[in-house]
Amino acid sequence: MALDRVASALTASKLRVALVGVAVVVAAVGGAVALGVLGVPSVAAVNNSFGDVTNETTVVETDLVVSNPNPVGVGLDGVSMNYTVSMNDVEMARGGREGVSVAAGNSSIAFETDLDNDAIPPWWTSHVRNGERTTVAIDATVTSDLLGRSADLTRTREIETDLIGAFTSDETRPVNADAPLVDDPVLYVNETRGRWGTVSEAETPIEMEFDAYNPNLEPYVVTEIGYDVTMNGVAMGSGSTEVEYVIPSYGSETIELTAALRNERLDEWWVTHLDESVNGHQVSDLRIEFYAVVELPGGEELTVPLDALTYEETVETDIFDEGLHQGNGTSADGTSGDGGSTDSEGSTDSDDSGDGGTTTDDGSGDDTSGDDTTDGGSGDDTSGDNTSDDGSGDDDGLLPLSAGG
């Protein structure tokens, strides 16, 4: 019995020592946090790019640069990260990692997320309704369970396109029938105008007007105007007018036409837009071809290709600010531009943590990925080269957190 009491006393003593040890550690961590000795890891930068694309999904490749202000690494399955990419408030991709170990300083952690291509039509609808403008928003959060705090970064960027702006023109273009016993040109188109109509979930209409002039002694009747719209060769819509227009001798008439893009084809177009082998990465060619059915004074009808009215426009985007195109994009009118992608002056990088979490990036934009980051998390990390950043060198396109945006 004496031995039992001794063993029980020893066990109780060890238990008390262990509990005291745990309490000391907890108190030490809590005190360090309270005194600001330990800081919560924060998001210093985020870099997204598009990876493999299929008819159903688009891979979004993400590199998060996590800044750990502590002199030692943080692990013990206590760090998690989450991020969301949205375009005009349409969620495009959401991802994250659990149980990540981060070294002291800046660490680059790579992972992938699938974007459902079904999100493309809702985004496109919002883009056109918003005057061909899109706000790309990237929200990233790093949470330390050990420290009980989190830090956020929000990055926004404006994307602009102009698919139909150049359709509005006062250039005079002849319409030739190229038929026997018919004097060409049968008509002149003196002006064209185009604007987006009311967008629905099913279609994106383009409302067009043609000012046609008849230079002949006899009136002509245009019984039909037809169109075909393609984007990177993908058939987006076709149709024709159902109204006849009588164009008097030496007179003019305004012909109206609505060309509708079928939104259900947008996900198929999206695949070509990201396929570098088609026109280049994030490059699309919009093409609208027209024809007219003209009734001649003798009652004969001719189908006339309106080649002079064929509309072509090259549109380039750089959704994740990957530095694509470098201002070398050329539109159908031969002018150079930036491809329709612009950084908004209101673009912001912000650390939204309300808990005093710190970010060590100095805003210089010189964060680089090194070779020493430890990533203890499991998942779809395919980079194999998670790195520790010493703050020197080029930033490889990362978007640094800085006071100046």
Side-chain angles (χ1 to χ4, degrees):
M1 294 298 291
L3 291 175
D4 291 342
R5 286 194 296 273
V6 171
S8 177
L10 289 173
T11 300
S13 176
K14 291 179 179 179
L15 180 60
R16 284 193 296 273
V17 170
L19 292 175
V20 169
V22 170
V24 170
V25 171
V26 171
V29 171
V33 172
L35 294 173
V37 176
L38 293 181
V40 63
S42 60
V43 183
V46 60
N47 179 46
N48 284 295
S49 61
F50 290 114
D52 294 337
V53 184
T54 69
N55 290 334
E56 291 77 29
T57 59
T58 302
V59 174
V60 177
E61 299 175 344
T62 300
D63 286 298
L64 280 180
V65 176
V66 180
S67 176
N68 178 14
N70 304 298
V72 296
V74 178
L76 303 176
D77 295 331
V79 176
S80 61
M81 56 187 63
N82 295 281
Y83 85 104
T84 303
V85 178
S86 60
M87 295 165 61
N88 283 349
D89 296 327
V90 177
E91 184 175 301
M92 307 300 290
R94 176 185 292 270
R97 296 286 295 274
E98 301 288 341
V100 179
S101 297
V102 292
N106 286 355
S107 302
S108 178
I109 301 175
F111 50 96
E112 297 181 348
T113 307
D114 285 343
L115 180 157
D116 190 340
N117 290 353
D118 287 342
I120 299 304
W123 159 69
W124 169 270
T125 300
S126 72
H127 181 69
V128 174
R129 286 174 174 168
N130 199 37
E132 291 193 56
R133 292 179 176 85
T134 288
T135 300
V136 181
I138 301 171
D139 297 296
T141 301
V142 173
T143 301
S144 173
D145 294 337
L146 178 64
L147 302 178
R149 297 192 303 186
S150 63
D152 302 329
L153 175 142
T154 296
R155 173 77 177 184
T156 61
R157 159 177 177 73
E158 298 294 325
I159 304 296
E160 295 185 24
T161 60
D162 188 5
L163 275 74
I164 63 172
F167 185 80
T168 298
S169 171
D170 59 3
E171 177 187 357
T172 297
R173 285 158 282 184
V175 176
N176 296 321
D178 293 325
L181 305 178
V182 176
D183 292 332
D184 284 330
V186 294
L187 297 171
Y188 285 101
V189 175
N190 290 331
E191 188 173 345
T192 55
R193 295 174 294 278
R195 61 185 179 276
W196 294 109
T198 302
V199 184
S200 68
E201 293 184 3
E203 63 181 23
T204 307
I206 307 173
E207 297 179 353
M208 302 176 173
E209 295 178 346
F210 306 83
D211 291 345
Y213 172 77
N214 180 6
N216 300 285
L217 291 174
E218 299 291 340
Y220 283 143
V221 178
V222 177
T223 61
E224 181 181 338
I225 294 282
Y227 69 90
D228 293 287
V229 184
T230 59
M231 293 174 67
N232 279 352
V234 176
M236 298 300 299
S238 60
S240 62
T241 60
E242 298 179 354
V243 179
E244 290 187 350
Y245 292 89
V246 178
I247 306 177
S249 173
Y250 303 116
S252 299
E253 183 67 32
T254 297
I255 298 173
E256 297 179 351
L257 169 69
T258 298
L261 281 65
R262 296 161 54 195
N263 293 351
E264 65 187 26
R265 307 305 303 276
L266 287 168
D267 52 353
E268 184 177 345
W269 156 75
W270 174 257
V271 175
T272 70
H273 186 62
L274 299 187
D275 188 343
E276 189 168 355
S277 67
V278 177
N279 278 311
H281 185 54
Q282 297 192 49
V283 180
S284 287
D285 285 339
L286 170 68
R287 182 179 178 89
I288 308 177
E289 298 177 295
F290 303 94
Y291 69 87
V293 178
V294 179
E295 182 180 302
L296 301 178
E300 180 185 3
E301 285 193 342
L302 294 176
T303 299
V304 181
L306 302 179
D307 295 336
L309 297 182
T310 297
Y311 180 73
E312 295 180 282
E313 184 69 23
T314 298
V315 180
E316 300 174 350
T317 61
D318 189 1
I319 292 174
F320 290 139
D321 196 16
E322 300 173 62
L324 305 177
H325 320 305
Q326 301 299 321
N328 295 324
T330 302
S331 64
D333 60 6
T335 59
S336 297
D338 61 1
S341 283
T342 58
D343 277 320
S344 168
E345 294 181 359
S347 295
T348 57
D349 293 326
S350 60
D351 183 352
D352 297 328
S353 59
D355 48 21
T358 59
T359 301
T360 59
D361 189 282
D362 62 0
S364 64
D366 293 331
D367 288 335
T368 14
S369 298
D371 292 322
D372 301 320
T373 295
T374 57
D375 181 359
S378 60
D380 52 6
D381 185 351
T382 59
S383 68
D385 61 351
N386 293 333
T387 59
S388 177
D389 187 357
D390 62 3
S392 63
D394 183 69
D395 66 0
D396 290 331
L398 295 176
L399 309 180
L401 177 63
S402 63

